[in-house]
Amino acid sequence: MTDAAPSPGLPGTELPGASGVLCILHLEDNELDHELVTMHVEGELPWPVQITRVEDEAGFLGALEAQPPHLILSDFALPSYDGLSAYRAAHARWPNVPFIIVTGAMGEETAVDTLREGVTDYILKQRLERLPSSIRRAMAEVESRLQRERAEREIRALNENLRARLDEVERLRNTAERQSQRLEIQARQLEEALNLQKTFLAETSHELRTPLTALHGYLRRAEREAGGSQVLQDAQRVAENMTRLVNDLLQLSRGELVQSIEMHFMNLGQLLRQVGRDYGVAAPESTFEIVGDPGRLTQVFVNLVTNAIRVTGNADLVRLEIEPRPGEVEVRVVDQGPGVPDHVKPKIFDKFYRGKEAGSAGLGLTIAQQVVTAHGGTIDVVDTPGGGATFRVRLPLPEEDEETGLEDAALQDPELDTLADAGPGSALA
């Protein structure tokens, strides 16, 4: 028996490493036979060996419990024990440990029975030179079995991982299907809501047309009976603006853009002062002549001014400004109200968008943007210095040859000249 260091690994479950020790448990009651076995094993194996000898059942079972070996060698016939019983005891505790019977005599039938029982091999003591090769072969089988078990464990782990991934894919697919179903339901609900909204706008527009038509008739009769007056003209202008708004609602309910833009040579400053007078808002005294639709532009600035008054709650906190720019004129509706949050600004002109921060009723700013765009201009909203919102409307100034052409036409047609100077009230009449 050698005094080599114990094996680093767990005997019976793995092979000793390159520098490890092969632990052998030898069940042998004869000291000479043990020495012969040791002499044939040491130096003949690829590992250093540590052989522990026991002589009886108690010593054998105690050694198994104390330190499971890599290999067991056992005599077949002992005074109070036998090799087959030892094998059964070892196999019950460490079923993967190779078990080789080393005996002096064994009949062929007995040898076959032991192999059938599960014993790894048997070696006759007269042929101990075969023992090293038998041990190497047994340990090679152990190594092969361990590799196979490792491969099976890896395959099981891969299968479990694949199964988990497939389960996750299935879960995600089910989640996607549920989300798709929810989106389809929401899309149908949204479509139904839009259809109801369009129906409501269309029906409301039709219902409003009748009283507005009657109102126009009453105003024209009053003008004929009482004579022309500024109050009646203003009332007619407001009624026509309401009629135009109703028509716009009807067009928007059908998904149409604002139409019927009638361009004239007009005085923008006079139009702004008229809006300012109607709603009690400060307006500039400047005069700028542009080509546009007085009625439609009145609709734009009335919308912006009334929105600003509604948000601020006081017409004194709202003012109109006008400023010439290269090739265009900029009109600003300035208020000192709560302002428009940054997250609202990108969608404030969207159709049906409603927001108390923006002062939008859902359609007014959409119509305003479409009218300004039809005039070749732009509209946006920025913060007012000191707090509030400023809506900027930029309209192109007429080119010099276009302005000259309109002036020449006015010289040839006095009615056109009268229309250009009459302001929005006459343009709507």
Side-chain angles (χ1 to χ4, degrees):
M1 182 170 60
T2 65
D3 295 329
S7 171
L10 181 61
T13 59
E14 58 184 40
L15 294 172
S19 59
V21 176
L22 182 67
C23 297
I24 299 176
L25 177 60
H26 190 195
L27 177 58
E28 176 61 64
D29 62 335
N30 189 302
E31 177 68 27
L32 179 61
D33 288 345
H34 170 67
E35 292 179 357
L36 287 173
V37 167
T38 301
M39 181 180 65
H40 280 84
V41 170
E42 287 184 334
E44 299 297 327
L45 298 176
W47 317 277
V49 296
Q50 175 182 324
I51 303 178
T52 301
R53 183 173 78 92
V54 292
E55 299 180 0
D56 52 23
E57 179 181 6
F60 181 72
L61 297 178
L64 288 178
E65 295 296 336
Q67 180 181 7
H70 292 109
L71 175 74
I72 297 174
L73 302 178
S74 175
D75 193 359
F76 185 73
L78 293 95
S80 60
Y81 205 36
D82 64 88
L84 196 55
S85 298
Y87 165 75
R88 291 169 180 160
H91 184 74
R93 290 169 174 78
W94 306 105
N96 295 325
V97 174
F99 193 100
I100 299 176
I101 291 179
V102 182
T103 184
M106 178 181 288
E108 182 177 347
E109 184 177 349
T110 303
V112 171
D113 290 340
T114 58
L115 295 177
R116 186 180 293 114
E117 185 85 15
V119 171
T120 306
D121 200 357
Y122 71 93
I123 302 294
L124 296 177
K125 292 182 178 179
Q126 298 88 333
R127 304 289 302 273
L128 287 178
E129 67 274 6
R130 290 184 57 246
L131 183 58
S133 62
S134 178
I135 293 175
R136 283 194 295 270
R137 184 168 59 252
M139 300 312 296
E141 291 177 357
V142 170
E143 181 179 13
S144 177
R145 185 186 68 251
L146 292 175
Q147 290 178 349
R148 183 172 63 253
E149 291 175 353
R150 281 194 294 269
E152 290 174 353
R153 286 195 299 270
E154 291 176 358
I155 291 174
R156 284 194 298 271
L158 289 174
N159 287 337
E160 292 175 359
N161 187 33
L162 179 59
R163 188 178 300 108
R165 289 177 179 270
L166 290 175
D167 291 342
E168 179 66 13
V169 169
E170 182 66 17
R171 186 186 68 80
L172 292 175
R173 186 182 68 82
N174 293 335
T175 301
E177 287 183 355
R178 289 193 297 270
Q179 290 178 345
S180 177
Q181 293 172 355
R182 284 197 296 268
L183 289 175
E184 290 178 0
I185 294 173
Q186 291 174 356
R188 287 196 299 268
Q189 293 174 343
L190 179 59
E191 183 178 4
E192 292 174 359
L194 290 175
N195 290 334
L196 289 174
Q197 196 171 47
K198 290 179 180 180
T199 302
F200 171 76
L201 288 175
E203 292 177 352
T204 302
S205 300
H206 284 296
E207 291 294 329
L208 289 175
R209 278 180 167 184
T210 300
L212 283 174
T213 301
L215 179 60
H216 281 299
Y218 294 145
L219 290 173
R220 284 193 293 270
R221 179 187 301 175
E223 185 177 15
R224 288 195 301 269
E225 294 176 354
S229 70
Q230 184 64 43
V231 174
L232 286 175
Q233 290 177 3
D234 290 345
Q236 284 183 326
R237 178 166 48 79
V238 172
E240 290 181 3
N241 285 339
M242 291 179 63
T243 301
R244 183 177 290 108
L245 177 60
V246 169
N247 291 333
D248 289 342
L249 290 175
L250 184 58
Q251 289 177 354
L252 286 171
S253 70
R254 298 169 179 168
E256 301 172 356
L257 298 177
V258 172
Q259 300 173 351
S260 65
I261 302 292
E262 298 180 2
M263 308 295 277
H264 301 286
F265 193 67
M266 54 167 286
N267 189 322
L268 182 59
Q270 183 177 346
L271 184 150
L272 295 177
R273 287 190 290 275
Q274 178 67 53
V275 173
R277 185 174 67 252
D278 288 345
Y279 294 95
V281 172
E285 295 297 329
S286 306
T287 298
F288 290 93
E289 293 185 341
I290 65 170
V291 177
D293 185 325
R296 288 297 189 183
L297 291 178
T298 297
Q299 184 181 8
V300 170
F301 295 113
V302 166
N303 188 300
L304 296 178
V305 167
T306 55
N307 279 349
I309 294 174
R310 181 168 57 252
V311 170
T312 60
N314 188 346
D316 294 337
L317 299 179
V318 182
R319 67 181 182 274
L320 287 165
E321 297 178 351
I322 191 168
E323 178 184 354
R325 300 169 58 88
E328 63 183 10
V329 61
E330 180 179 276
V331 179
R332 294 185 291 271
V333 180
V334 184
D335 70 62
Q336 300 295 327
V340 179
D342 290 339
H343 72 276
V344 172
K345 291 174 183 175
K347 52 189 176 183
I348 196 172
F349 296 102
D350 292 348
K351 185 166 62 174
F352 302 127
Y353 175 76
R354 298 176 61 86
K356 63 180 182 180
E357 305 93 341
S360 170
L363 286 173
L365 292 179
T366 301
I367 294 173
Q369 184 185 53
Q370 292 180 359
V371 170
V372 172
T373 302
H375 280 76
T378 60
I379 181 173
D380 62 3
V381 60
V382 295
D383 294 334
T384 300
T390 297
F391 282 83
R392 302 182 301 186
V393 176
R394 293 175 179 173
L395 298 169
L397 289 170
E399 297 181 0
E400 183 176 351
D401 52 353
E402 179 182 357
E403 185 175 353
T404 302
L406 285 172
E407 290 176 352
D408 292 344
L411 291 175
Q412 297 175 9
D413 187 350
E415 291 184 2
L416 180 60
D417 184 60
T418 302
L419 178 63
D421 296 333
S426 298
L428 291 173

